[in-house]
Amino acid sequence: MNFLAHIYLSFDDKEITLGNFFADHIRGNKYKHLPDKIQKGILLHREIDTFTDSHPIVRQSSKRLHKNYSHYSRVIVDIYYDHFLAKNWSDYSKTPLDEFVEDFYDLLEDNYDILPMATKRMMPYMITDNWLLNYANLAGIDRVLNGMNRRTKNKSKMNFAILDLEEHYTDFENEFTSFFKELITFSNQKFISLCKD
């Protein structure tokens, strides 16, 4: 899953949210110096990724893209799924998306000192261009896919993936909705069990 889903699946716990958000910027077990709850957020992130990567619905979404994008298809599906979460946000949260996103950006700024360097480098772009809020519209997703393509030095051709999203929009949205229901249940169980330890 992409950024918005990981933040949402932290169940409003600030420290879990931080770890769950920046876990991709932490290699191996280089997180033992961080506060306990942030470590648990990193572990939750990894559990979510493992569950997602092996799920048949996600594989179905990914398979639709594989011919054009090869191993990048999984990354593209993560971005598509964040779009559907943002677009249908009111189905999942009572807090309006713009307010949820602002609170998250405040959380990052309040905890800047403990963020990994890669997160610190990304943060100004994320906030200035308001990535999380802009996931809700196709123009925002198009910008993200273009940015990802530039980062792969145009090898991924992810800039064209907006066309695949438009062409198979209903299929991707239905797959997201079915999968995300299961992911919420799974993540909530992992959250409870991690917080018990």
Side-chain angles (χ1 to χ4, degrees):
M1 300 303 290
N2 207 38
F3 296 129
L4 185 60
H6 279 293
I7 298 161
Y8 174 76
L9 294 168
S10 300
F11 305 101
D12 297 322
D13 183 299
K14 289 183 176 179
E15 288 178 295
I16 295 276
T17 299
L18 286 167
N20 201 350
F21 169 67
F22 65 59
D24 280 337
H25 294 151
I26 302 282
R27 293 282 157 257
N29 66 353
K30 294 191 166 54
Y31 58 83
K32 302 291 189 182
H33 63 289
L34 293 165
D36 182 59
K37 271 281 196 74
I38 292 180
Q39 292 187 37
K40 288 175 175 176
I42 292 166
L43 296 175
L44 177 60
H45 178 109
R46 291 174 179 180
E47 292 275 7
I48 288 168
D49 280 358
T50 301
F51 180 82
T52 301
D53 289 346
S54 61
H55 200 285
I57 295 176
V58 178
R59 289 189 167 182
Q60 192 175 315
S61 290
S62 182
K63 195 174 173 190
R64 195 176 290 118
L65 299 167
H66 200 266
K67 185 174 60 135
N68 293 333
Y69 306 101
S70 185
H71 61 281
Y72 295 108
S73 57
R74 294 304 272 274
V75 179
I76 296 167
V77 169
D78 284 348
I79 294 164
Y80 288 178
Y81 280 13
D82 253 16
H83 164 64
F84 292 117
L85 175 56
K87 178 197 158 204
N88 300 302
W89 184 257
S90 60
D91 294 342
Y92 300 101
S93 177
K94 291 187 176 73
T95 307
L97 182 58
D98 57 346
E99 196 179 308
F100 180 89
V101 165
E102 280 308 313
D103 288 347
F104 173 69
Y105 293 154
D106 289 346
L107 178 68
L108 287 185
E109 284 165 351
D110 292 346
N111 292 276
Y112 186 81
D113 291 347
I114 61 165
L115 299 177
M117 189 48 68
T119 310
K120 287 178 177 174
R121 280 197 294 268
M122 179 181 79
M123 197 175 132
Y125 301 104
M126 181 181 220
I127 294 173
T128 304
D129 295 334
N130 208 346
W131 293 356
L132 299 175
L133 190 63
N134 284 317
Y135 283 154
N137 58 68
L138 287 175
I141 293 299
D142 190 31
R143 275 196 298 279
V144 171
L145 291 166
N146 272 285
M148 297 290 280
N149 183 56
R150 280 193 300 278
R151 278 199 281 287
T152 67
K153 299 186 169 52
N154 302 320
K155 284 190 202 121
S156 67
K157 308 293 181 212
M158 284 165 78
N159 53 312
F160 294 110
I162 193 71
L163 303 174
D164 299 83
L165 177 58
E166 288 169 342
E167 186 182 347
H168 302 286
Y169 197 87
T170 305
D171 291 329
F172 282 121
E173 184 162 24
N174 289 340
E175 286 158 4
F176 164 77
T177 304
S178 301
F179 167 67
F180 203 63
K181 197 185 300 177
E182 290 185 40
L183 183 62
I184 291 169
T185 303
F186 170 84
S187 303
N188 193 41
Q189 287 165 350
K190 288 292 173 189
F191 173 83
I192 291 164
S193 101
L194 281 164
C195 290
K196 251 193 272 179
D197 296 341

